[in-house]
Amino acid sequence: MSGLESLYQELILDHAKHRRGFGLAAEEGATATSHQRNPICGDEITLRVRVDGDAVRDVTWEGAGCSISQASASMLAELADGMPRAEASALIAAFREALRSRGEVELDEDVFGDAAALSGVSRYTARVKCAMLGWVALEDALARA
């Protein structure tokens, strides 16, 4: 394993253990909630978001599953908070494109922050849904908001 792969693995494990945005905010303060489940492995995420004007606020979530699904939701919660709604939607679309690329498209660390560590997941088709779970939940919640 290269030094970069090792660093990425440590980053994923850190987010899985020290989950950012974990714990659902009170429902009355939220704009929308989405529950997503990966039927293949049983991972689940419930994500709640508040949209304030055009800004994504208070991305909170709860879930259970593998390190990849939990770390990905943590990375997303940290990244999307305060982002304009249109930018968050574009970020989700770009993340989906990279993860479906089978390793052809790398996530830019300047754009995706810690979530760039998930680029390698795209080479493992069975794990793509795990990494996408939180992102699909935010996409759904923003559509409902």
Side-chain angles (χ1 to χ4, degrees):
M1 180 181 311
S2 76
L4 186 58
E5 287 173 333
S6 178
L7 174 65
Y8 281 173
Q9 187 175 23
E10 288 177 33
L11 196 55
I12 290 168
L13 291 174
D14 178 60
H15 271 276
K17 290 179 184 175
H18 308 286
R19 299 172 283 188
R20 283 64 152 188
F22 190 79
L24 289 174
E27 196 164 0
E28 63 270 2
T31 303
T33 301
S34 176
H35 178 79
Q36 299 293 319
R37 182 173 185 275
N38 182 347
I40 295 170
C41 65
D43 290 0
E44 292 188 57
I45 299 259
T46 300
L47 182 139
R48 193 166 285 155
V49 66
R50 184 170 58 89
V51 177
D52 183 14
D54 189 40
V56 174
R57 299 274 185 228
D58 303 325
V59 178
T60 61
W61 63 280
E62 286 184 351
C66 69
S67 294
I68 290 173
S69 71
Q70 302 301 285
S72 185
S74 172
M75 293 167 174
L76 174 63
E78 189 173 65
L79 184 62
D81 193 43
M83 188 176 276
R85 188 176 176 156
E87 190 176 326
S89 294
L91 193 75
I92 294 165
F95 188 79
R96 178 180 285 118
E97 178 186 349
L99 286 187
R100 289 182 175 171
S101 76
R102 296 182 183 245
E104 296 294 318
V105 177
E106 292 286 321
L107 294 165
D108 183 346
E109 193 173 337
D110 291 335
V111 175
F112 289 93
D114 288 353
L118 297 166
S119 286
V121 171
S122 69
R123 291 188 289 275
Y124 306 98
T125 310
R127 304 314 300 258
V128 168
K129 285 187 180 191
C130 300
M132 283 297 306
L133 205 56
W135 299 71
V136 169
L138 179 59
E139 181 177 53
D140 181 51
L142 289 175
R144 295 169 186 255

